[in-house]
Amino acid sequence: MFQILIVDDDTHTRRWPGAVLTAAGYCPHAASSAREALSLMQDTHVDLVVLDVMMPGMDGYEFTSLLRDCRCDLPILMLSARQLPDNIKHGFLAGTDDYMTKPADEEELLLRIRALLRRARIAADHSLAVGDTVLDYDTLTVRQGSDAQILPLKEFYLLYKLLSYPDKIFTRIQLLEDIWGPDSDSMESTVSVHINRLRKRFDGCPDFDIITIRGLGYKAQVKERTHAVEARP
């Protein structure tokens, strides 16, 4: 059973998703602050966090940034009353995986949680398929039908990261730290260069595109004819 942590300082707001998640077969845990959430996470395995933004002390943005700075890849869904584009942008820049505004639709909330859990599982595996494109993490190989090519290390890791989380926006800084490491002397422009190389390699690919999100970074977009991104054992 998936363990989901709800972090919100409002009692009613904590109870509602808790009831929805329980009815859907999940095991919810609740915390009223980021500090309480951190304490709970030390003793309890958590698969996903549903996180409010406006909290006393450490807010949701700061809590998310803290987790990402600690190299924690736990899926995070921000659920906030803040609806302005800048609020949403701030959330993704902090490192959230998804963002919903209150009041949330029950069915949509569950669909987004399922999608985030699925993406997290795929990222933990060593092979994934996007339509007819198959990435083999152990051999750095990308197969498309009968064609196969071995990618340079950083290009492969970059592509695998993006396709593991379709439609998730990654900033250049996030990708630089994840792929090249936090102590790398490389600059953000290095990410752009590698993105351009990947685009040239897979120009016209029927399965996915790599999209630039102006002012934010990049995301992989699965094309409509591809029905799923799935892990392969």
Side-chain angles (χ1 to χ4, degrees):
M1 181 180 294
F2 287 109
Q3 313 287 318
I4 299 180
L5 175 60
I6 304 163
V7 188
D8 197 305
D9 63 315
D10 183 85
T11 303
H12 174 72
T13 308
R14 290 197 305 273
R15 286 177 178 171
W16 176 77
V20 170
L21 292 170
T22 299
Y26 297 108
C27 181
H29 303 271
S32 61
S33 67
R35 184 180 296 276
E36 184 180 344
L38 289 171
S39 177
L40 188 149
M41 290 169 66
Q42 290 181 351
D43 302 315
T44 305
H45 171 76
V46 173
D47 295 294
L48 182 145
V49 177
V50 177
L51 176 65
D52 184 33
V53 171
M54 296 181 288
M55 297 187 295
M58 185 186 300
D59 66 20
Y61 299 134
E62 295 169 323
F63 181 56
T64 299
S65 295
L66 175 63
L67 292 179
R68 297 314 185 215
D69 288 344
C70 294
R71 313 294 289 175
C72 175
D73 290 329
L74 194 66
I76 298 174
L77 168 60
M78 282 189 176
L79 183 60
S80 174
R82 294 187 174 183
Q83 303 180 15
L84 295 176
D86 282 349
N87 302 142
I88 299 172
K89 177 179 177 180
H90 193 175
F92 281 110
L93 288 173
T96 190
D97 297 281
D98 203 352
Y99 194 108
M100 290 185 70
T101 55
K102 299 176 182 177
D105 177 77
E106 178 179 327
E107 184 178 2
E108 182 181 358
L109 175 66
L110 291 174
L111 287 172
R112 291 189 183 227
I113 286 174
R114 288 169 190 158
L116 289 174
L117 291 171
R118 183 175 64 250
R119 292 175 192 172
R121 177 181 62 82
I122 289 171
D125 288 315
H126 278 202
S127 181
L128 66 89
V130 182
D132 293 328
T133 301
V134 180
L135 284 72
D136 188 323
Y137 194 94
D138 294 326
T139 63
L140 307 180
T141 301
V142 179
R143 293 182 174 84
Q144 294 177 297
S146 59
D147 297 327
Q149 56 178 317
I150 298 175
L151 269 56
L153 185 69
K154 301 301 185 186
E155 285 186 38
F156 182 90
Y157 287 169
L158 185 57
L159 182 63
Y160 196 94
K161 181 80 173 182
L162 292 171
L163 289 178
S164 292
Y165 299 89
D167 289 325
K168 177 181 176 179
I169 301 169
F170 291 94
T171 66
R172 292 178 181 84
I173 292 177
Q174 285 176 320
L175 293 171
L176 188 65
E177 291 185 351
D178 286 348
I179 307 302
W180 281 265
D183 298 325
S184 172
D185 293 329
S186 299
M187 297 184 295
E188 291 181 45
S189 58
T190 301
V191 177
S192 300
V193 170
H194 282 69
I195 288 288
N196 288 333
R197 290 174 181 169
L198 286 172
R199 282 176 171 154
K200 289 180 180 178
R201 285 182 184 276
F202 299 101
D203 182 40
C205 175
D207 297 318
F208 65 86
D209 287 317
I210 299 175
I211 307 297
T212 299
I213 307 300
R214 189 174 299 277
L216 282 176
Y218 304 100
K219 71 174 184 177
Q221 181 172 290
V222 176
K223 294 186 177 178
E224 290 185 2
R225 80 175 192 88
T226 305
H227 298 294
V229 179
E230 60 179 330
R232 294 193 173 183

